Amino acid sequence: MTPTIAIIGALEKEVRQIYQEIEHGTVAEEAGLTIVGGEYHGFNLVATTAGMGTVNAAAASQYLVTRYGANALIFSGIAGGLNPALHIGDVVIGERLRYIDTDTSLIAESAPGLEEFTSSDYLVDVAEEVLVAHGYIDAALDERLTAPGSAAREIADASPYRRNNTDAEPQRYLRGTIATGNRFITGDELRRAVIEATGADCAEMEGAAVAHVAAKCGIDCLVLRAISDNCDEAYDAFCERTFDLDEYARSASGLTLAIIRRLAGKLGLRDHDAE
């Protein structure tokens, strides 16, 4: 049976590129969602815009699992940076996902009995491979290990995505912790509170809910976030940066598609590019 991957974004711009790449696509209006389905490198894909917040994300995730039999959930989009080692345009792979504004001990009284959630190890590894192939450098490495002439920098500079721009600093990625809550994080006080409560590297409004549903259903999950801001501006000002936000959203969705292509190659569904 052909595996099915469900791709979810909070905003339409976060899944627009996914819609464009799906082959033999269909569109359905179901459960308050516009769901695009089709084929991509040997997988069945279903993709949708869930809307912002944990309830929207969880409802969309569960619907795609129940209605379409998704074997894996991938949530891709933008987030506010909390870790000073990360800059705008960098990427966090959500190894761990923690709720900000939830009594997790009460959540853990129900199946699957967890207070925090995770992306699947295998998908995290594949995501890291893709990011390295795209010229990203691990933000957890000491600066001496990423300076020009270092092994990590030479690998990054050899990437076809950087060959014509090796003078620029490479973008970075982190296998890190993502904080999820139902409010837009802005301002020093709230930013510090989130870091203290979760130790997270970035903050957003959906990822933990998607991973929560995946754990509850016993399926694979990956949450991937491109940093779009540093949790230092109001929501209205943030929304005015339309071009920038589109760019960061495209970065996250483009990496998602590359991850699926590499996964297809590993599973023998279709040859993948060297990326």
Side-chain angles (χ1 to χ4, degrees):
M1 181 179 292
T2 303
T4 297
I5 297 177
I7 301 174
I8 305 169
L11 306 172
E12 192 274 337
K13 60 171 61 78
E14 295 173 329
V15 291
R16 186 183 300 145
Q17 186 176 351
I18 309 294
Y19 294 162
Q20 294 168 352
E21 295 287 339
I22 289 177
E23 301 168 355
H24 310 116
T26 61
V27 180
E29 301 290 338
E30 300 171 351
L33 302 167
T34 299
I35 300 169
V36 176
E39 302 168 9
Y40 190 75
H41 285 254
F43 288 104
N44 292 325
L45 291 191
V46 287
T48 194
T49 302
M52 291 188 287
T54 56
V55 173
N56 283 329
S61 297
Q62 186 62 64
Y63 188 79
L64 295 179
V65 173
T66 302
R67 172 68 176 82
Y68 291 92
N71 307 106
L73 297 170
I74 298 180
F75 197 96
S76 164
I78 55 179
L82 299 172
N83 186 329
L86 297 171
H87 303 92
I88 291 175
D90 292 345
V91 172
V92 177
I93 307 169
E95 272 197 317
R96 294 165 299 280
L97 299 108
R98 295 171 178 160
Y99 287 115
I100 298 168
D101 45 10
T102 302
D103 188 333
T104 54
S105 63
L106 298 182
I107 292 290
E109 290 185 7
S110 302
L114 302 171
E115 292 198 50
E116 69 174 30
F117 302 90
T118 61
S119 294
S120 301
D121 291 343
Y122 179 71
L123 293 180
V124 170
D125 290 342
V126 173
E128 183 172 29
E129 289 175 12
V130 168
L131 285 159
V132 170
H134 278 67
Y136 286 72
I137 285 180
D138 188 349
L141 294 174
D142 186 276
E143 287 186 7
R144 293 170 298 177
L145 300 178
T146 62
S150 66
R153 185 62 175 266
E154 288 181 0
I155 292 171
D157 288 346
S159 165
Y161 299 89
R162 278 185 53 78
R163 282 177 186 160
N164 297 323
N165 193 28
T166 54
D167 289 337
E169 278 295 308
Q171 291 179 300
R172 286 169 164 73
Y173 75 89
L174 192 64
R175 296 171 63 132
T177 300
I178 295 175
T180 299
N182 283 311
R183 64 186 300 181
F184 189 78
I185 304 301
T186 184
D188 288 342
E189 183 177 352
L190 189 53
R191 191 173 184 277
R192 285 194 300 269
V194 172
I195 294 171
E196 182 177 347
T198 65
D201 300 294
C202 68
E204 39 87 289
M205 298 175 64
E206 298 85 23
V210 174
H212 191 158
V213 170
K216 201 173 182 73
C217 295
I219 65 171
D220 288 321
C221 171
L222 176 67
V223 180
L224 192 73
R225 291 293 192 174
I227 303 300
S228 59
D229 65 287
N230 292 310
C231 297
D232 56 359
E233 57 187 315
Y235 181 71
D236 290 345
F238 172 80
C239 291
E240 289 177 0
R241 297 194 290 109
T242 304
F243 176 79
D244 288 345
L245 296 185
D246 284 351
E247 180 183 354
Y248 307 139
R250 281 196 307 272
S251 175
S253 60
L255 289 168
T256 296
L257 290 170
I259 289 165
I260 293 172
R261 292 194 296 271
R262 182 169 287 258
L263 186 61
K266 286 179 175 290
L267 296 178
L269 299 178
R270 188 179 293 188
D271 290 340
H272 65 279
D273 302 324
E275 57 182 350

